Amino acid sequence: MELLTFLLTSAPVLMFVTGVVAALGKSNLKIPESLGITLNLYLLLAIGLKGGMGLASVSFDDLALPLAVTLVLGMVLPLVAFFLGGLFRFGFHERIAMAATFGSVSLVTYVAAAAQLERLGIGYEPFMTTLVVVLEIPGLVVALLLYNQTRVLGITAAPSQSFTVIRDSLLSKSILLLIAGLVVGIVTPDTSALTPFFVDLFPGVLLLFLLSLGVKVGHQLKTVPSYGVKFLVVGMTFPLIGAAIGYAAAMFAGLSDGGTILLMTLAASGSYIAAPAMLQASVPEAEPSFYLTLALAVTFPFNLLVGIPLFITIVT
């Protein structure tokens, strides 16, 4: 209980809740959209950079097994989400949207979990950021394959379309900046000049970003009742299933406590950046308000307020 209280009263959680309260209470607090985009760009680059700094000291032998396990995890999660949607009798295109959303990951959820671990002094593997990049893509490809193979029985997925998803995912803002940060962190011999801006300022920027995200989520919450109770149940059930699968994967890969918590968090999260971009381009029948609301207004707050504290409590 002491740990739970400590986590729920942390600055990131309080800033997020402040944003939600401001939106629901119709406060005059406004976060310029351009500022939210800038903060997002900073976080993506800083996370990649920090991961690259750590990755520079890791051998491929240390990375090989976690990398392989993460790839398998990325292919399993969208299948689980697709069948979970079937159990709750969602429509076909909604199930495809769920497969893409839960097959990919939420970088902000990962950042929030990493911040909590740092506050608690729990270390984790320096290559975890690399696993974020790896885990982002397979779920989108599997969702697209499900879409193409299932909508017309016997029709196989077009390889060119799958290639387009992979290419677009790699060139998407989040992945591109993560990879750029990783490369800069690895090849830069002395990163001390980058530390004041990308490491020391990171916690403060994260607070501002979570405040802006809280405002956005608060506005999105108003649309949740229109989707019914099963929408809420699925949005809060999948994180628990995904985290359990992520825990098993982390055990198989031999990750530390911190690495296990982060992989559970990634497996529990839902994408609201890469997945929507893919769905809008390749699955136009899926309703954007459905998958955006599911990831942003249900699963993200659940993971921040319940999931991450629960995962930390279980593992530690």
Side-chain angles (χ1 to χ4, degrees), residues 43-105:
L43 290 175
L44 290 167
L45 195 54
I47 292 164
L49 195 63
K50 290 168 70 177
M53 292 177 189
L55 203 57
S57 61
V58 175
S59 69
F60 181 75
D61 289 342
D62 294 331
L63 181 61
L65 181 57
L67 200 61
V69 170
T70 301
L71 276 172
V72 174
L73 181 64
M75 292 185 279
V76 169
L77 291 174
L79 295 175
V80 173
F82 184 78
F83 286 107
L84 183 66
L87 289 177
F88 281 87
R89 299 184 182 280
F90 281 99
F92 172 68
H93 296 114
E94 292 171 333
R95 293 171 64 191
I96 293 295
M98 291 170 61
T101 299
F102 292 127
S104 190
V105 297

Side-chain angles (χ1 to χ4, degrees), residues 29-230:
L29 173 65
K30 304 291 182 187
I31 307 292
E33 188 174 351
S34 58
L35 176 61
I37 294 172
T38 303
L39 296 176
N40 190 15
L41 295 178
Y42 169 89
L43 290 175
L44 290 167
L45 195 54
I47 292 164
L49 195 63
K50 290 168 70 177
M53 292 177 189
L55 203 57
S57 61
V58 175
S59 69
F60 181 75
D61 289 342
D62 294 331
L63 181 61
L65 181 57
L67 200 61
V69 170
T70 301
L71 276 172
V72 174
L73 181 64
M75 292 185 279
V76 169
L77 291 174
L79 295 175
V80 173
F82 184 78
F83 286 107
L84 183 66
L87 289 177
F88 281 87
R89 299 184 182 280
F90 281 99
F92 172 68
H93 296 114
E94 292 171 333
R95 293 171 64 191
I96 293 295
M98 291 170 61
T101 299
F102 292 127
S104 190
V105 297
S106 162
L107 189 61
V108 178
T109 310
Y110 169 83
V111 172
Q116 296 286 30
L117 293 184
E118 289 174 12
R119 287 182 69 235
L120 293 167
I122 301 174
Y124 53 87
E125 286 77 1
F127 51 73
M128 290 307 297
T129 306
T130 306
L131 301 188
V132 176
V133 176
V134 171
L135 195 55
E136 177 105 51
I137 299 170
L140 301 181
V141 176
V142 171
L144 183 60
L145 291 173
L146 282 171
Y147 172 66
N148 286 331
Q149 290 185 335
T150 311
R151 63 175 175 161
V152 181
L153 189 62
I155 300 296
T156 57
S160 59
Q161 200 172 8
S162 299
F163 173 77
T164 300
V165 170
I166 296 173
R167 183 198 63 193
D168 290 348
S169 297
L170 288 173
L171 292 177
S172 67
K173 175 181 67 178
S174 56
I175 298 299
L176 192 61
L177 286 175
L178 278 176
I179 294 175
L182 280 170
V183 172
V184 171
I186 291 172
V187 303
T188 304
D190 182 9
T191 56
S192 58
L194 302 173
T195 302
F197 185 73
F198 285 106
V199 177
D200 297 344
L201 291 181
F202 187 88
V205 175
L206 177 61
L207 293 186
L208 285 174
F209 182 74
L210 286 173
L211 177 65
S212 69
L213 198 58
V215 173
K216 187 179 292 185
V217 169
H219 290 301
Q220 203 79 25
L221 280 174
K222 299 168 186 172
T223 64
V224 170
S226 63
Y227 291 105
V229 175
K230 68 177 183 180

Side-chain angles (χ1 to χ4, degrees), residues 230-272:
K230 68 177 183 180
F231 182 78
L232 279 173
V233 174
V234 164
M236 293 187 285
T237 299
F238 181 85
L240 300 177
I241 298 173
I245 299 172
Y247 179 83
M251 291 296 101
F252 188 80
L255 297 182
S256 65
D257 283 356
T260 299
I261 293 165
L262 289 180
L263 197 61
M264 291 172 72
T265 302
L266 287 171
S269 67
S271 169
Y272 48 87

